[in-house]
Amino acid sequence: MTRAIRAVGGAASEPADSFSLYDAEEAVLTRTEAMLSGLSDVAGGVQALADAYRRGFREQQRLVRMSDRMQLDLQKANQRLADQRRDLQALNAALSGEIEHRTRLEAELRRLADTDDLTGALARRRFMEVAAREWLRHARSGAPVSILILDLDRFKLLNDSFGHAAGDAALVSFVAICRAHLRTLDFIGRTGGEEFAIVLSDTGLEGAAAFAERLREAVAATPVPMMDAAMRITVSIGVAQSEPGETLESAMQRADAALYAAKDCGRNRIALRPGAPDASSAAIRP
């Protein structure tokens, strides 16, 4: 509400407490502009905050997408690792089976190479290896060791009369009898068709002779499958004890010479060849 302006002395004058409508409006406009300026600053800050939030949101989206891709890649990698692990396990199983098969095959080949397939006695090559090692051990210790050379009597006649199957049965039966009399430290080898050799560890000539006689009696008393019950096989045996400094081959030659002496004296007996390798006589025991 405005107050009336009065003229004094012909001239208009404004009271001291009066104000102009325009001044109030100007003040309002000034304040409004200030408020608008403040709002503009606030709006600018809000806009900057919104922009920052938008950038952060987009960055977060990018990171989430990257994380999703990484998770997917990780899942694929884990799947590949699982597949590779299964493949590796299958391969390891196959390799283990192959190794086991090869091990069994090698053991079987070694057994076939080391033993006589028919009788199970040591093959000649393996017998000589084991005998040489045992001979060296006794040479170092000074303990006696004896070797026996054994030959089934009239084996060719047995084959001709009863067939080769009966001959094979006779060989198998003979080796079984020998094994039944041998100790764990002794061993037997097949050195020829019907010829065998035995090494008796820690045994002198008399002990070897006693063993040979027990073996000869057992062979003569045991019937052989596939032969007439009244038929028996017999064996002739040559025995030699190691001499100081003597080689295995030399002792085997002496035992072999004793074997021939037993054969010449009628078979089914043992003969001892003591003394030096060139000894010309043998002690025959019927």
Side-chain angles (χ1 to χ4, degrees), residues 200-224:
L200 298 177
S201 299
D202 303 325
T203 305
L205 188 64
E206 288 303 315
F211 169 85
E213 180 57 26
R214 291 193 301 271
L215 186 59
R216 184 195 66 77
E217 293 175 352
V219 171
T222 303
V224 177

Side-chain angles (χ1 to χ4, degrees), residues 27-44:
V28 170
L29 289 174
T30 301
R31 288 195 300 273
T32 299
E33 290 176 355
M35 290 176 62
L36 289 174
S37 177
L39 287 175
S40 178
D41 294 339
V42 171

